[in-house]
Amino acid sequence: MPKENFEVAVGDFYEMSGRLAEHYGRFWEKVVTQPSSAEDPSASVLADFSVAMREVGAAMLENPNKLISDQMDLMRQQQELYQNTVLRFLGKHPDPVVQPDPSDKRFKSDEWSENPVFDFIKQLYLIQGNSLMKMIQDTDGLSDHTRQKVEYFVRQYVNALAPTNFPSLNPEVIRKTFETGGSNLATGMEQLMKDMDGSARGALNVAMTDTSAFRVGENVAVTPGKVVYQNDIMQLIQYSPSTETTFKRPLLVIPPFINKYYILDLRPDNSFLKWLVDQGHTVFCISWVNAGPELRNKGFDDYMLEGPIAAIDAIEKATGEKEVNAIGYCVGGTLLASTMAYLKKKKKTSIQSATFLTTLLDFSQPGEIGVFINDTAITALEKQMDMLGYYDGRQMSFSFNTLRENDLFWSFFVNNYLMGERPAAFDLLYWNTDSTNLPAAMHSFYLRNMYLYNKLIAKDELELDGVKLDLRKVDAPTYFISCAQDHIALWKGTYTGATVMGGKPRFVLGGSGHIAGIVNPPHKKKYGFWTNDALPSEADEWYQGAQFNEGSWWTDWQKWVVQQGGAEAIPARQPGSELLPAIEDAPGAYVRRRIGEAG
């Protein structure tokens, strides 16, 4: 290398090293100065996990022979790996002791298999990690909830210690570091500091997509319409018709208030809302506010009264129709069911049919999120919310991401901070990072009365606006669509809700998960769905008698909703009537407000 080039390279190296040292110092300064107390939700969750771990330890000692057997199996596999590695250095090619799961993308680089050193590191990690998980699974005498918590905690520990997450053990990172002279690590540290600054307290919200590539109302949430009503907690969008005639009965969509509504309107080719409009529905959709501290006292009953009930009143002004079909997604469906039970007690029949998308009404099977549900953690969270006035939606996003930690956290950790690259532009992940804050009073009520005490499913246990609710009294026809691989609203848990509601429930099981199984347009021809006209008391019995159908549940739902009445054709309605004039173009101001701008 010419002398001048060598001097330039040395200079670049020292400059990069200086940048890295500066950011590394700032990183640890930020970590050690983070405020913390025993009342932090994260500390309370860890304390709860500690209790569960002690229970596991005591249970293991009840059957030491099984523990010894697992330890002996671990030693045997490690000894076999040592012998195989020696053989590989001698030019032999023994079969691996253990292989990654085919769905595990962490070890996709050829070097993890072709290089004996990295292959040894990979297999040793897998052997030890699998052994830890097996020890928990083999422990008898644990409650399902304790086992779930411990498996979650141990899984987080095992996956955090994967060699892929360490720059000196990951062959792709090592190669990138040599190629860039270490600038990938310096750039990664810069990006880590930026993400830490934008994260919720006690969490790290890793950037998952190029947020600069998306603009709400420009390339996501673009179905034409008008905001025709608004109050403190929501804007109501009426979409412009795309057909000459529409069905007489309007359709109200109630999305989750823990996320923004445009998951149902990402792009024209997969927008459920646009598809509904194209089928001839007059579609109204609630867009929830991104709450600030000024809304701290808004409760769950306020979300009912100022959400769907206020929307139904506004729809009557816009269309002259007193009755609607309604769709609720996830917690939006929980709110819809609560509203229907409330209206039934009030002897009102505004909602003539209801559709529930991946909705829990019985919270006895809360899915993996149940590991965070206990009185200690909720009490600590309530204290934090009382200080802020709201629940920071970024905390919820982080918690949900840890349920699929390798795909939704560690893959981006490696890409952003070790490889020094930026994530690609992906609209679904943009929506996933566009979180919403929740009013303190409402979120506390929801966590305690739904998840912790499971009151909604019980007769007259849950009270909203002075009215005790009974889902069994609801007699409007209902359509439940759940998803086979949903880890947030387990389909067998959602099935119970269908069996409890009165009227004529129809239960349908879609493929895939909580989002992909719902946002499944017919032209994609993906996943399919199961149907069964019978509704036995047990989910397994329903599934045994179910028939698989190709295509999308959307078309099945369209046939069903037309059969519920109000389907006669009338001239298409344009948004903005004399009684309910348009306020602004869709998607409106509320959905554009991001965390940091709320309040």
Side-chain angles (χ1 to χ4, degrees), residues 508-509 529-533 542-550:
V508 175
L509 181 63
F529 58 99
W530 290 263
T531 56
N532 185 346
D533 292 335
W542 178 92
Y543 184 74
Q544 289 170 4
Q547 176 183 349
F548 180 75
N549 306 270
E550 299 287 350

Side-chain angles (χ1 to χ4, degrees), residues 303-318:
Y303 266 66
M304 177 186 71
L305 296 170
E306 299 177 38
I309 290 181
I312 290 169
D313 292 340
I315 290 170
E316 182 180 353
K317 290 181 180 179

Side-chain angles (χ1 to χ4, degrees), residues 44-167:
S44 299
V45 170
L46 288 175
D48 183 63
F49 281 134
S50 297
V51 173
M53 291 298 291
R54 286 197 295 272
E55 184 179 336
V56 169
M60 284 181 173
L61 293 178
E62 292 291 323
N63 191 351
N65 290 336
K66 187 172 288 187
L67 180 62
I68 292 171
S69 175
D70 286 339
Q71 290 290 314
M72 293 298 293
D73 190 50
L74 170 63
M75 294 174 62
R76 179 191 60 75
Q77 290 185 78
Q78 289 182 153
Q79 183 63 35
E80 185 179 352
L81 174 61
Y82 297 146
Q83 294 172 348
N84 285 359
T85 302
V86 171
L87 291 174
R88 288 205 61 181
F89 278 110
L90 295 175
K92 308 294 184 180
H93 299 283
D95 292 335
V97 178
V98 64
Q99 292 272 40
D101 187 277
S103 63
D104 192 342
K105 302 175 184 177
R106 294 174 296 176
F107 302 101
K108 61 183 179 181
S109 172
D110 292 340
E111 289 175 88
W112 285 111
S113 299
E114 295 175 357
N115 186 304
V117 174
F118 289 120
D119 184 52
F120 173 82
I121 293 171
K122 175 192 71 178
Q123 290 195 59
L124 182 62
Y125 162 74
L126 292 173
I127 288 169
Q128 294 177 339
N130 293 345
S131 177
L132 273 175
M133 296 302 298
K134 187 174 185 298
M135 288 168 60
I136 305 302
Q137 293 161 2
D138 285 349
T139 302
D140 297 325
L142 299 178
S143 68
D144 290 342
H145 191 52
T146 295
R147 189 183 304 277
Q148 183 186 43
K149 284 191 289 188
V150 173
E151 286 182 350
Y152 167 85
F153 184 74
V154 171
R155 197 184 76 224
Q156 301 303 315
Y157 172 78
V158 167
N159 288 331
L161 293 180
T164 48
N165 301 334
F166 296 87

Side-chain angles (χ1 to χ4, degrees), residues 48 192 401 465 533:
D48 183 63
L192 173 59
N401 287 346
D465 189 38
D533 292 335

Side-chain angles (χ1 to χ4, degrees), residues 161-182:
L161 293 180
T164 48
N165 301 334
F166 296 87
S168 60
L169 299 178
N170 187 325
E172 294 179 281
V173 176
I174 293 171
R175 182 171 61 251
K176 185 70 175 286
T177 303
F178 275 108
E179 290 173 354
T180 66

Side-chain angles (χ1 to χ4, degrees), residues 226 228 238-243 282 318-319 571-577 580:
K226 302 284 185 183
V228 295
Q238 179 181 355
Y239 288 98
S240 301
S242 61
T243 55
T282 301
T319 67
R573 307 175 176 107
Q574 296 296 331
S577 66
L580 204 67

Side-chain angles (χ1 to χ4, degrees), residues 197-200 203 205 392-399 435-437 595:
D197 289 338
S199 295
N205 297 104
D392 192 324
R394 295 170 298 184
Q395 287 183 313
M396 182 175 293
S397 178
F398 175 76
S399 297
S435 304
T436 52
N437 295 335
I595 285 184

Side-chain angles (χ1 to χ4, degrees), residues 110-425:
D110 292 340
E111 289 175 88
W112 285 111
S113 299
E114 295 175 357
N115 186 304
V117 174
F118 289 120
D119 184 52
F120 173 82
I121 293 171
K122 175 192 71 178
Q123 290 195 59
L124 182 62
Y125 162 74
L126 292 173
I127 288 169
Q128 294 177 339
N130 293 345
S131 177
L132 273 175
M133 296 302 298
K134 187 174 185 298
M135 288 168 60
I136 305 302
Q137 293 161 2
D138 285 349
T139 302
D140 297 325
L142 299 178
S143 68
D144 290 342
H145 191 52
T146 295
R147 189 183 304 277
Q148 183 186 43
K149 284 191 289 188
V150 173
E151 286 182 350
Y152 167 85
F153 184 74
V154 171
R155 197 184 76 224
Q156 301 303 315
Y157 172 78
V158 167
N159 288 331
L161 293 180
T164 48
N165 301 334
F166 296 87
S168 60
L169 299 178
N170 187 325
E172 294 179 281
V173 176
I174 293 171
R175 182 171 61 251
K176 185 70 175 286
T177 303
F178 275 108
E179 290 173 354
T180 66
S183 66
N184 58 306
L185 299 178
T187 300
M189 187 61 73
E190 292 174 5
Q191 295 177 162
L192 173 59
M193 294 301 302
K194 181 180 178 181
D195 287 348
M196 289 184 70
D197 289 338
S199 295
R201 176 181 172 182
L204 174 59
N205 297 104
V206 182
M208 303 172 73
T209 187
D210 179 7
T211 56
S212 65
F214 299 99
R215 292 287 184 274
V216 173
E218 296 180 14
N219 55 2
V220 292
V222 296
T223 299
K226 302 284 185 183
V227 174
V228 295
Y229 173 82
Q230 68 180 38
N231 55 33
D232 287 345
I233 65 170
M234 67 94 168
Q235 289 187 316
L236 183 66
I237 301 170
Q238 179 181 355
Y239 288 98
S240 301
S242 61
T243 55
E244 292 185 2
T245 62
T246 57
F247 298 122
K248 186 175 187 291
R249 186 180 295 162
L251 178 65
L252 172 63
V253 179
I254 308 169
F257 42 72
I258 61 175
N259 296 108
K260 293 185 176 177
Y261 83 87
Y262 66 87
I263 186 58
L264 300 174
D265 190 29
L266 281 177
R267 299 186 311 274
D269 75 324
N270 70 353
S271 169
F272 184 51
L273 295 177
K274 181 181 184 302
W275 185 86
L276 292 172
V277 171
D278 291 343
Q279 305 315 300
H281 295 282
T282 301
V283 179
F284 292 82
C285 182
I286 289 175
S287 174
W288 299 105
V289 72
N290 203 342
E294 73 283 356
L295 298 179
R296 66 168 58 242
N297 295 320
K298 291 289 185 181
F300 197 86
D301 49 359
D302 292 308
Y303 266 66
M304 177 186 71
L305 296 170
E306 299 177 38
I309 290 181
I312 290 169
D313 292 340
I315 290 170
E316 182 180 353
K317 290 181 180 179
T319 67
E321 296 295 323
K322 297 179 181 294
E323 298 174 344
V324 301
N325 296 317
I327 297 176
Y329 190 2
C330 189
V331 67
T334 307
L335 180 61
L336 172 58
S338 304
T339 303
M340 295 177 74
Y342 174 87
L343 291 174
K344 185 64 180 178
K345 286 289 185 74
K346 292 284 190 177
K347 301 186 185 303
K348 295 182 179 180
T349 58
S350 308
I351 300 173
Q352 285 291 295
S353 79
T355 300
F356 299 94
L357 316 181
T358 61
T359 296
L360 283 173
L361 303 181
D362 175 10
F363 287 77
S364 62
Q365 299 181 57
E368 291 186 23
I369 198 67
V371 300
F372 302 114
I373 304 301
N374 59 80
D375 188 78
T376 302
I378 292 176
T379 299
L381 183 61
E382 287 169 335
K383 292 178 180 179
Q384 185 184 82
M385 290 192 297
D386 187 57
M387 290 188 295
L388 295 175
Y390 58 88
Y391 177 58
D392 192 324
R394 295 170 298 184
Q395 287 183 313
M396 182 175 293
S397 178
F398 175 76
S399 297
F400 274 94
N401 287 346
T402 64
L403 301 181
R404 291 291 182 269
E405 65 280 358
N406 284 335
D407 291 332
L408 297 178
F409 184 84
W410 290 113
S411 63
F412 294 99
F413 181 94
V414 172
N415 180 79
N416 298 3
Y417 309 146
L418 304 187
M419 300 295 286
E421 298 175 356
R422 295 303 296 162

